[in-house]
Amino acid sequence: MWKEVLSVTFYQAVFTEFLATSIYVFFGLGSVLQWPSALPTILQISITFNLAAATVVQIAWHVSGAHVNPAVTMAFLLGSRISLARAACYMVAQLAGGIAGAATLYGVTPAEVQGSLGINTSLCHPFPQVRSNITSGQAVAVELILTFQLVLCYFASTDRHRNANSPATFIGISVALGHLIGGFVPNGCFKTNKKHIFWVGPMTGAILASLIYNVLLYPDLKSLSQRLAILKGTFKMEAEGMEEAKQNR
């Protein structure tokens, strides 16, 4: 584990997650700002998130895998695609990147158009034209379904055995799809007693997507020892050692 954590490529990947998330949040939330001359529409916001997602995936894909989302990272950890140390550092970098992107947007935006910067509250929804009496349970279910399809798309489009092309376009489409539906459903209030909506729903959807893709759709045949090696971050080094030993023999 320590050999992975102390490598330069590890920190390049972690920084890339921070940078990609910052860019994604800056442009995504920027599309929600309440400019008096042109109030945002759901279609405009969905397209912006589509383009932002495709852009950052294209930037970060070869360096970090371009997760840009703790739920995606959780799914890849559960699917034995990344180590525990990498997953933990990715999540911290993503949260820090989201804060940095929002803070930058806040700093360069006039106060009169900032609004809530896209945060869902009881008084200020990013789509004020939408009205709905949705319960917390329904909101969690919506977040679950939206994240479920996004993570499935991540697995399918980043699987190098089945798709050698860049996943940027497909992931961007998946993000836009989620916003086109989710934008019509005011998904709860971002208050102290409601924040679970944005954690329980996405994380549950990510876990279900990982299980369905890796167990039912395309069963992952890794052995227990291989999974443990991936979890510890030693899988690549062990594989290289086995290959070297084979060549020596």
Side-chain angles (χ1 to χ4, degrees):
M1 180 183 71
W2 290 111
K3 190 171 182 179
E4 180 194 30
V5 172
L6 295 176
S7 66
V8 175
T9 56
F10 180 87
Y11 291 100
Q12 286 176 330
V14 172
F15 174 75
T16 300
E17 283 296 308
F18 169 84
L19 179 64
T21 308
S22 300
I23 296 172
Y24 176 74
V25 169
F26 178 88
F27 284 97
L29 294 186
S31 67
V32 185
L33 297 179
Q34 305 291 309
W35 294 98
S37 59
L39 293 176
T41 65
I42 291 177
L43 180 59
Q44 170 200 329
I45 294 169
S46 299
I47 292 174
T48 303
F49 273 97
N50 172 311
L51 297 175
T55 299
V56 298
V57 169
Q58 188 65 29
I59 292 171
W61 178 44
H62 290 294
V63 183
S64 68
H67 294 183
V68 199
N69 188 323
V72 174
T73 298
M74 174 62 73
F76 273 62
L77 175 64
L78 184 62
S80 298
R81 305 296 179 96
I82 57 174
S83 68
L84 179 60
R86 185 177 292 265
C89 290
Y90 273 17
M91 289 183 184
V92 173
Q94 291 155 2
L95 294 175
I99 294 172
T104 303
L105 180 66
Y106 183 85
V108 300
T109 304
E112 61 270 17
V113 301
Q114 288 173 353
S116 65
L117 284 182
I119 295 177
N120 295 327
T121 67
S122 58
L123 299 178
C124 183
H125 189 271
F127 308 114
Q129 68 272 31
V130 178
R131 294 290 182 270
S132 177
N133 295 319
I134 186 171
T135 66
S136 293
Q138 291 172 324
V140 169
V142 170
E143 290 292 328
L144 186 156
I145 294 169
L146 299 185
T147 307
F148 176 80
Q149 65 85 22
L150 173 64
V151 171
L152 279 181
C153 182
Y154 254 92
F155 276 120
S157 58
T158 59
D159 193 333
R160 298 180 187 275
H161 298 292
R162 299 176 179 86
N163 181 23
N165 299 318
S166 170
T169 299
F170 302 108
I171 292 174
I173 291 172
S174 179
V175 170
L177 176 65
H179 279 83
L180 284 170
I181 299 300
F184 286 102
V185 184
N187 44 6
C189 305
F190 199 78
K191 294 180 178 178
T192 302
N193 62 336
K194 296 289 186 178
K195 290 186 175 68
H196 70 278
I197 292 172
F198 303 97
W199 286 102
V200 175
M203 287 301 180
T204 305
I207 291 170
L208 287 176
S210 182
L211 292 174
I212 288 176
Y213 186 87
N214 294 297
V215 176
L216 297 179
L217 299 184
Y218 297 102
D220 192 339
L221 303 179
K222 294 187 184 74
S223 65
L224 179 59
S225 61
Q226 289 176 321
R227 293 179 184 277
L228 289 175
I230 292 172
L231 188 66
K232 293 186 294 183
T234 61
F235 179 74
K236 184 177 180 180
M237 289 176 286
E238 291 181 8
E240 290 174 350
M242 292 174 63
E243 182 65 25
E244 183 179 353
K246 184 188 298 184
Q247 291 175 356
N248 290 337
R249 288 196 299 269

Coordinates of all heavy atoms in Angstrom, one line a residue, residues 45-127:
I45 N -29.3 24.1 -18.4 CA -28.5 23.6 -17.3 C -28.0 22.2 -17.6 O -26.9 21.8 -17.4 CB -29.3 23.7 -16.0 CG1 -29.5 25.1 -15.6 CG2 -28.5 22.9 -14.9 CD1 -30.5 25.3 -14.5
S46 N -28.9 21.4 -18.2 CA -28.6 20.0 -18.5 C -27.5 19.9 -19.6 O -26.5 19.1 -19.5 CB -29.8 19.2 -19.0 OG -30.8 19.2 -18.0
I47 N -27.6 20.8 -20.6 CA -26.6 20.8 -21.6 C -25.2 21.3 -21.1 O -24.2 20.7 -21.4 CB -27.0 21.7 -22.8 CG1 -28.2 21.1 -23.5 CG2 -25.9 22.0 -23.8 CD1 -28.8 22.0 -24.6
T48 N -25.3 22.3 -20.2 CA -24.0 22.8 -19.6 C -23.4 21.7 -18.8 O -22.1 21.5 -18.9 CB -24.3 24.0 -18.7 OG1 -25.0 25.0 -19.5 CG2 -23.0 24.5 -18.1
F49 N -24.1 21.0 -18.0 CA -23.6 19.9 -17.2 C -23.0 18.8 -18.1 O -22.0 18.1 -17.8 CB -24.6 19.3 -16.2 CG -24.6 20.0 -14.9 CD1 -25.5 21.0 -14.6 CD2 -23.7 19.7 -13.9 CE1 -25.5 21.7 -13.4 CE2 -23.7 20.4 -12.7 CZ -24.6 21.4 -12.4
N50 N -23.7 18.5 -19.2 CA -23.3 17.6 -20.2 C -21.9 18.0 -20.7 O -20.9 17.1 -20.7 CB -24.3 17.5 -21.3 CG -23.8 16.7 -22.5 OD1 -22.7 16.8 -23.0 ND2 -24.7 15.8 -23.0
L51 N -21.8 19.2 -21.2 CA -20.5 19.6 -21.7 C -19.4 19.7 -20.7 O -18.2 19.3 -21.0 CB -20.7 21.0 -22.3 CG -21.7 21.1 -23.5 CD1 -21.9 22.6 -23.9 CD2 -21.2 20.3 -24.7
A52 N -19.7 20.1 -19.5 CA -18.7 20.2 -18.4 C -18.2 18.8 -18.0 O -17.0 18.5 -17.9 CB -19.3 20.8 -17.1
A53 N -19.2 17.8 -17.9 CA -18.8 16.4 -17.6 C -17.9 15.8 -18.7 O -16.9 15.2 -18.5 CB -20.0 15.6 -17.4
A54 N -18.3 16.0 -20.0 CA -17.5 15.5 -21.1 C -16.1 16.1 -21.1 O -15.1 15.4 -21.4 CB -18.3 15.7 -22.4
T55 N -16.0 17.4 -20.8 CA -14.7 18.1 -20.8 C -13.8 17.5 -19.8 O -12.7 17.2 -20.1 CB -14.9 19.6 -20.7 OG1 -15.8 20.1 -21.7 CG2 -13.6 20.3 -20.6
V56 N -14.3 17.4 -18.5 CA -13.4 17.0 -17.5 C -13.1 15.5 -17.6 O -12.0 15.1 -17.2 CB -14.0 17.3 -16.1 CG1 -14.2 18.8 -15.9 CG2 -15.3 16.6 -15.8
V57 N -14.0 14.7 -18.1 CA -13.6 13.3 -18.3 C -12.5 13.2 -19.4 O -11.6 12.4 -19.2 CB -14.9 12.5 -18.8 CG1 -14.5 11.1 -19.3 CG2 -15.9 12.4 -17.6
Q58 N -12.6 14.0 -20.4 CA -11.6 13.9 -21.4 C -10.2 14.4 -20.9 O -9.2 13.8 -21.2 CB -12.0 14.8 -22.6 CG -11.0 14.7 -23.8 CD -11.1 13.4 -24.5 OE1 -12.1 12.7 -24.4 NE2 -10.0 13.0 -25.1
I59 N -10.3 15.3 -20.0 CA -9.0 15.9 -19.3 C -8.4 14.8 -18.4 O -7.2 14.6 -18.4 CB -9.3 17.1 -18.5 CG1 -9.7 18.3 -19.5 CG2 -8.1 17.5 -17.7 CD1 -10.2 19.5 -18.8
A60 N -9.3 14.2 -17.6 CA -8.8 13.4 -16.4 C -8.8 11.9 -16.7 O -8.2 11.2 -15.9 CB -9.6 13.7 -15.2
W61 N -9.4 11.4 -17.8 CA -9.6 10.0 -17.9 C -8.3 9.2 -17.8 O -8.2 8.2 -17.1 CB -10.3 9.7 -19.3 CG -10.5 8.3 -19.6 CD1 -11.0 7.3 -18.7 CD2 -10.3 7.6 -20.8 NE1 -11.1 6.1 -19.4 CE2 -10.7 6.3 -20.7 CE3 -9.8 8.1 -22.1 CZ2 -10.6 5.4 -21.7 CZ3 -9.8 7.1 -23.1 CH2 -10.1 5.8 -22.9
H62 N -7.3 9.6 -18.5 CA -6.0 8.8 -18.6 C -5.2 8.9 -17.3 O -4.2 8.2 -17.1 CB -5.2 9.2 -19.8 CG -5.8 8.8 -21.1 ND1 -5.9 7.4 -21.5 CD2 -6.3 9.5 -22.1 CE1 -6.5 7.3 -22.7 NE2 -6.7 8.6 -23.1
V63 N -5.5 9.9 -16.5 CA -4.7 10.2 -15.3 C -5.3 9.5 -14.1 O -4.6 8.8 -13.3 CB -4.5 11.7 -15.1 CG1 -3.6 11.9 -13.9 CG2 -3.9 12.4 -16.3
S64 N -6.6 9.8 -13.8 CA -7.2 9.3 -12.6 C -8.4 8.4 -12.8 O -9.0 7.8 -11.9 CB -7.7 10.5 -11.8 OG -8.7 11.2 -12.4
G65 N -8.9 8.4 -14.1 CA -10.1 7.6 -14.3 C -11.3 8.6 -14.4 O -12.4 8.2 -14.7
A66 N -11.1 9.8 -14.0 CA -12.2 10.9 -14.1 C -13.5 10.5 -13.4 O -14.5 10.5 -13.9 CB -12.5 11.2 -15.6
H67 N -13.3 10.2 -12.1 CA -14.5 9.8 -11.3 C -15.4 11.1 -11.0 O -16.6 11.1 -11.2 CB -14.1 9.2 -10.0 CG -13.5 7.8 -10.2 ND1 -13.1 7.0 -9.1 CD2 -13.1 7.1 -11.3 CE1 -12.6 5.9 -9.5 NE2 -12.6 5.9 -10.9
V68 N -14.7 12.1 -10.5 CA -15.4 13.4 -10.2 C -16.6 13.3 -9.4 O -17.5 14.2 -9.4 CB -15.7 14.1 -11.6 CG1 -15.9 15.6 -11.4 CG2 -14.6 13.9 -12.6
N69 N -16.8 12.2 -8.6 CA -18.0 12.0 -7.9 C -17.7 10.9 -6.8 O -17.3 9.8 -7.2 CB -19.1 11.6 -8.8 CG -20.5 11.5 -8.1 OD1 -20.6 11.1 -7.0 ND2 -21.5 11.9 -8.8
P70 N -17.9 11.2 -5.5 CA -17.7 10.1 -4.5 C -18.5 8.9 -4.8 O -18.0 7.8 -4.4 CB -18.1 10.8 -3.2 CG -17.9 12.3 -3.5 CD -18.3 12.5 -4.9
A71 N -19.7 9.0 -5.3 CA -20.5 7.8 -5.6 C -19.8 6.9 -6.6 O -19.8 5.7 -6.5 CB -21.9 8.2 -6.0
V72 N -19.3 7.5 -7.6 CA -18.6 6.7 -8.7 C -17.3 6.0 -8.1 O -17.1 4.9 -8.3 CB -18.1 7.6 -9.9 CG1 -17.3 6.9 -10.9 CG2 -19.4 8.2 -10.5
T73 N -16.6 6.8 -7.3 CA -15.4 6.2 -6.6 C -15.8 5.0 -5.7 O -15.1 4.0 -5.7 CB -14.7 7.3 -5.8 OG1 -14.2 8.3 -6.7 CG2 -13.5 6.7 -5.1
M74 N -16.9 5.2 -5.0 CA -17.4 4.1 -4.1 C -17.7 2.8 -4.9 O -17.4 1.7 -4.6 CB -18.6 4.5 -3.3 CG -19.3 3.4 -2.5 SD -18.2 2.7 -1.2 CE -18.2 4.1 0.0
A75 N -18.4 3.0 -6.1 CA -18.7 1.9 -7.0 C -17.5 1.2 -7.5 O -17.5 0.0 -7.6 CB -19.6 2.4 -8.1
F76 N -16.5 2.0 -7.9 CA -15.2 1.4 -8.4 C -14.5 0.7 -7.3 O -13.8 -0.3 -7.6 CB -14.4 2.5 -9.1 CG -14.7 2.7 -10.5 CD1 -16.0 3.2 -10.9 CD2 -13.8 2.5 -11.5 CE1 -16.3 3.4 -12.2 CE2 -14.1 2.7 -12.8 CZ -15.4 3.1 -13.2
L77 N -14.5 1.2 -6.1 CA -13.9 0.5 -5.0 C -14.6 -0.9 -4.7 O -13.9 -1.9 -4.5 CB -14.0 1.3 -3.7 CG -13.4 0.7 -2.4 CD1 -12.0 0.4 -2.5 CD2 -13.7 1.6 -1.2
L78 N -15.9 -0.9 -4.7 CA -16.7 -2.1 -4.5 C -16.5 -3.1 -5.6 O -16.5 -4.3 -5.4 CB -18.2 -1.7 -4.3 CG -19.1 -2.9 -4.0 CD1 -18.8 -3.5 -2.7 CD2 -20.6 -2.4 -4.0
G79 N -16.3 -2.6 -6.8 CA -16.1 -3.4 -8.0 C -14.6 -3.9 -8.2 O -14.3 -4.4 -9.2
S80 N -13.8 -3.6 -7.2 CA -12.3 -4.0 -7.2 C -11.6 -3.4 -8.4 O -10.9 -4.1 -9.1 CB -12.2 -5.6 -7.3 OG -12.8 -6.1 -6.1
R81 N -11.9 -2.1 -8.6 CA -11.2 -1.4 -9.7 C -10.1 -0.4 -9.1 O -9.2 -0.1 -9.9 CB -12.2 -0.5 -10.5 CG -13.4 -1.3 -11.0 CD -13.0 -2.4 -12.0 NE -14.1 -3.1 -12.6 CZ -14.7 -2.8 -13.7 NH1 -14.3 -1.8 -14.4 NH2 -15.7 -3.6 -14.1
I82 N -10.2 -0.1 -7.9 CA -9.2 0.8 -7.3 C -8.9 0.4 -5.8 O -9.7 -0.4 -5.2 CB -9.6 2.3 -7.3 CG1 -10.9 2.5 -6.5 CG2 -9.7 2.9 -8.7 CD1 -11.4 3.9 -6.4
S83 N -7.8 0.9 -5.3 CA -7.4 0.5 -3.9 C -8.2 1.4 -2.9 O -8.8 2.4 -3.2 CB -5.9 0.8 -3.7 OG -5.6 2.2 -3.8
L84 N -8.2 0.9 -1.7 CA -8.9 1.7 -0.6 C -8.2 3.0 -0.4 O -8.9 4.0 -0.2 CB -8.8 0.8 0.7 CG -9.5 1.5 1.9 CD1 -11.0 1.7 1.7 CD2 -9.3 0.5 3.2
A85 N -6.9 3.1 -0.4 CA -6.2 4.4 -0.2 C -6.5 5.3 -1.3 O -6.8 6.5 -1.0 CB -4.7 4.1 -0.1
R86 N -6.5 4.9 -2.5 CA -6.8 5.7 -3.7 C -8.3 6.2 -3.6 O -8.6 7.4 -3.8 CB -6.6 5.0 -5.0 CG -6.8 5.8 -6.2 CD -6.4 5.0 -7.5 NE -5.0 4.7 -7.5 CZ -4.1 5.4 -8.2 NH1 -4.5 6.5 -8.9 NH2 -2.9 5.1 -8.2
A87 N -9.2 5.3 -3.2 CA -10.6 5.7 -3.1 C -10.8 6.8 -2.0 O -11.5 7.8 -2.3 CB -11.5 4.5 -2.8
A88 N -10.2 6.6 -0.9 CA -10.3 7.6 0.2 C -9.7 9.0 -0.2 O -10.4 10.0 0.0 CB -9.6 7.1 1.4
C89 N -8.6 9.0 -0.9 CA -7.9 10.2 -1.3 C -8.7 10.9 -2.4 O -8.9 12.1 -2.5 CB -6.5 10.0 -1.7 SG -5.4 9.6 -0.4
Y90 N -9.3 10.1 -3.3 CA -10.1 10.6 -4.4 C -11.3 11.3 -3.8 O -11.7 12.4 -4.2 CB -10.7 9.5 -5.3 CG -9.7 9.1 -6.4 CD1 -8.4 9.5 -6.4 CD2 -10.2 8.4 -7.5 CE1 -7.6 9.1 -7.5 CE2 -9.4 8.0 -8.6 CZ -8.1 8.4 -8.5 OH -7.3 8.0 -9.6
M91 N -12.0 10.7 -2.8 CA -13.2 11.3 -2.2 C -12.9 12.7 -1.6 O -13.6 13.6 -1.7 CB -13.9 10.4 -1.2 CG -14.5 9.2 -1.9 SD -15.3 8.1 -0.7 CE -15.9 6.8 -1.7
V92 N -11.8 12.7 -0.8 CA -11.4 13.9 -0.2 C -11.1 15.0 -1.2 O -11.5 16.2 -1.1 CB -10.1 13.7 0.7 CG1 -9.6 15.0 1.2 CG2 -10.5 12.8 1.9
A93 N -10.4 14.6 -2.3 CA -10.0 15.5 -3.4 C -11.3 16.0 -4.1 O -11.3 17.2 -4.4 CB -9.1 14.9 -4.4
Q94 N -12.2 15.2 -4.3 CA -13.5 15.6 -5.0 C -14.3 16.6 -4.1 O -14.8 17.6 -4.6 CB -14.3 14.3 -5.3 CG -13.7 13.4 -6.3 CD -14.2 12.0 -6.2 OE1 -15.0 11.6 -5.3 NE2 -13.7 11.1 -7.1
L95 N -14.4 16.3 -2.8 CA -15.1 17.2 -1.9 C -14.4 18.6 -1.9 O -15.0 19.6 -1.9 CB -15.2 16.6 -0.5 CG -16.1 15.4 -0.4 CD1 -16.0 14.8 1.0 CD2 -17.5 15.7 -0.8
A96 N -13.0 18.5 -1.8 CA -12.2 19.8 -1.8 C -12.4 20.5 -3.1 O -12.5 21.7 -3.2 CB -10.8 19.5 -1.5
G97 N -12.4 19.7 -4.2 CA -12.5 20.4 -5.5 C -13.9 21.0 -5.7 O -14.0 22.1 -6.3
G98 N -14.9 20.3 -5.2 CA -16.2 20.9 -5.3 C -16.3 22.2 -4.5 O -16.9 23.2 -5.0
I99 N -15.7 22.3 -3.3 CA -15.7 23.5 -2.5 C -14.9 24.6 -3.3 O -15.4 25.8 -3.3 CB -15.1 23.2 -1.2 CG1 -16.0 22.3 -0.4 CG2 -14.9 24.5 -0.4 CD1 -15.4 21.8 0.9
A100 N -13.8 24.2 -3.8 CA -13.0 25.2 -4.6 C -13.7 25.8 -5.8 O -13.6 27.0 -6.0 CB -11.6 24.6 -5.0
G101 N -14.4 24.9 -6.5 CA -15.1 25.3 -7.7 C -16.2 26.3 -7.3 O -16.4 27.3 -8.0
A102 N -17.0 25.9 -6.3 CA -18.1 26.8 -5.9 C -17.6 28.1 -5.3 O -18.2 29.2 -5.5 CB -18.9 26.0 -4.8
A103 N -16.5 28.0 -4.5 CA -15.9 29.3 -4.0 C -15.4 30.2 -5.0 O -15.6 31.4 -5.0 CB -14.8 28.9 -3.0
T104 N -14.8 29.6 -6.1 CA -14.3 30.5 -7.2 C -15.5 31.1 -7.9 O -15.4 32.3 -8.2 CB -13.5 29.6 -8.2 OG1 -12.4 29.0 -7.5 CG2 -12.9 30.5 -9.3
L105 N -16.5 30.4 -8.2 CA -17.7 30.9 -8.8 C -18.3 32.0 -7.9 O -18.7 33.1 -8.5 CB -18.7 29.8 -9.0 CG -20.0 30.3 -9.7 CD1 -19.8 30.7 -11.1 CD2 -21.0 29.1 -9.7
Y106 N -18.4 31.8 -6.7 CA -18.9 32.8 -5.7 C -18.1 34.1 -5.8 O -18.6 35.2 -5.7 CB -18.9 32.2 -4.3 CG -19.5 33.1 -3.3 CD1 -20.9 33.2 -3.0 CD2 -18.7 34.0 -2.5 CE1 -21.4 34.0 -2.1 CE2 -19.2 34.8 -1.6 CZ -20.6 34.8 -1.3 OH -21.1 35.7 -0.4
G107 N -16.8 33.9 -5.9 CA -15.9 35.1 -5.8 C -15.9 35.9 -7.1 O -15.6 37.1 -7.1
V108 N -16.3 35.3 -8.2 CA -16.3 36.1 -9.5 C -17.7 36.4 -10.0 O -17.9 37.0 -11.1 CB -15.6 35.3 -10.6 CG1 -14.2 35.0 -10.2 CG2 -16.3 34.0 -10.9
T109 N -18.7 36.2 -9.1 CA -20.1 36.4 -9.5 C -20.7 37.6 -8.7 O -20.5 37.7 -7.5 CB -21.0 35.2 -9.3 OG1 -20.4 34.1 -10.0 CG2 -22.4 35.4 -9.8
P110 N -21.4 38.5 -9.4 CA -22.1 39.6 -8.7 C -23.1 39.1 -7.7 O -23.7 38.0 -7.9 CB -22.8 40.4 -9.8 CG -22.1 40.0 -11.1 CD -21.6 38.6 -10.9
A111 N -23.1 39.7 -6.5 CA -24.0 39.3 -5.4 C -25.4 39.1 -5.8 O -26.1 38.2 -5.3 CB -23.8 40.2 -4.2
E112 N -25.9 40.0 -6.7 CA -27.3 40.0 -7.0 C -27.8 38.8 -7.9 O -29.0 38.6 -8.0 CB -27.7 41.3 -7.7 CG -27.0 41.6 -9.1 CD -25.7 42.3 -8.9 OE1 -25.2 42.4 -7.7 OE2 -25.2 42.9 -9.9
V113 N -26.8 38.1 -8.5 CA -27.2 36.9 -9.3 C -26.8 35.6 -8.7 O -27.0 34.5 -9.3 CB -26.6 37.0 -10.7 CG1 -27.1 38.3 -11.4 CG2 -25.1 37.0 -10.7
Q114 N -26.1 35.6 -7.5 CA -25.6 34.4 -6.9 C -26.7 33.5 -6.5 O -26.6 32.2 -6.7 CB -24.7 34.7 -5.7 CG -23.4 35.3 -6.1 CD -22.6 35.8 -4.9 OE1 -23.1 35.8 -3.8 NE2 -21.3 36.2 -5.1
G115 N -27.8 34.0 -5.9 CA -28.8 33.2 -5.4 C -28.3 32.2 -4.4 O -27.5 32.5 -3.5
S116 N -28.6 30.9 -4.5 CA -28.1 29.9 -3.6 C -27.0 29.1 -4.3 O -26.6 28.0 -3.7 CB -29.3 28.9 -3.2 OG -29.7 28.2 -4.4
L117 N -26.5 29.5 -5.4 CA -25.5 28.8 -6.2 C -25.9 27.4 -6.5 O -25.1 26.4 -6.5 CB -24.2 28.8 -5.4 CG -23.3 30.1 -5.5 CD1 -22.0 29.9 -4.7 CD2 -23.1 30.6 -6.9
G118 N -27.2 27.2 -6.7 CA -27.7 25.8 -7.1 C -28.1 24.9 -5.9 O -28.5 23.8 -6.2
I119 N -27.9 25.4 -4.7 CA -28.2 24.5 -3.5 C -29.7 24.5 -3.4 O -30.4 25.5 -3.5 CB -27.6 25.1 -2.2 CG1 -26.1 25.0 -2.3 CG2 -28.1 24.3 -1.0 CD1 -25.4 25.6 -1.1
N120 N -30.3 23.3 -3.2 CA -31.7 23.1 -3.0 C -32.1 23.5 -1.5 O -31.6 22.8 -0.6 CB -32.1 21.7 -3.2 CG -31.9 21.3 -4.7 OD1 -32.1 22.1 -5.5 ND2 -31.5 20.0 -4.9
T121 N -32.9 24.5 -1.4 CA -33.4 24.9 0.0 C -34.9 25.0 -0.1 O -35.5 25.0 -1.2 CB -32.8 26.2 0.4 OG1 -33.3 27.3 -0.4 CG2 -31.3 26.2 0.3
S122 N -35.5 25.2 1.0 CA -37.0 25.3 1.0 C -37.4 26.6 0.4 O -38.6 26.7 0.0 CB -37.5 25.2 2.5 OG -36.9 26.2 3.3
L123 N -36.6 27.6 0.4 CA -37.0 28.9 -0.1 C -36.5 29.2 -1.5 O -37.0 30.1 -2.2 CB -36.5 30.0 0.9 CG -37.1 29.9 2.3 CD1 -36.5 31.0 3.1 CD2 -38.6 30.0 2.3
C124 N -35.4 28.5 -1.9 CA -34.8 28.9 -3.2 C -34.4 27.6 -3.9 O -33.3 27.1 -3.7 CB -33.6 29.8 -3.0 SG -32.8 30.4 -4.5
H125 N -35.2 27.1 -4.8 CA -34.8 26.0 -5.6 C -34.2 26.5 -6.9 O -34.5 27.5 -7.4 CB -36.1 25.2 -6.0 CG -35.8 23.8 -6.6 ND1 -35.7 23.7 -8.0 CD2 -35.6 22.6 -6.1 CE1 -35.4 22.5 -8.3 NE2 -35.3 21.8 -7.2
P126 N -33.2 25.8 -7.4 CA -32.5 26.3 -8.6 C -33.4 26.4 -9.8 O -33.1 27.1 -10.7 CB -31.4 25.2 -8.9 CG -31.8 24.0 -8.1 CD -32.6 24.5 -6.9
F127 N -34.5 25.7 -9.8 CA -35.5 25.8 -10.9 C -36.8 26.3 -10.3 O -37.7 25.6 -9.9 CB -35.8 24.4 -11.5 CG -34.5 23.7 -12.0 CD1 -34.1 22.5 -11.4 CD2 -33.8 24.2 -13.0 CE1 -33.0 21.9 -11.8 CE2 -32.6 23.6 -13.4 CZ -32.2 22.4 -12.8

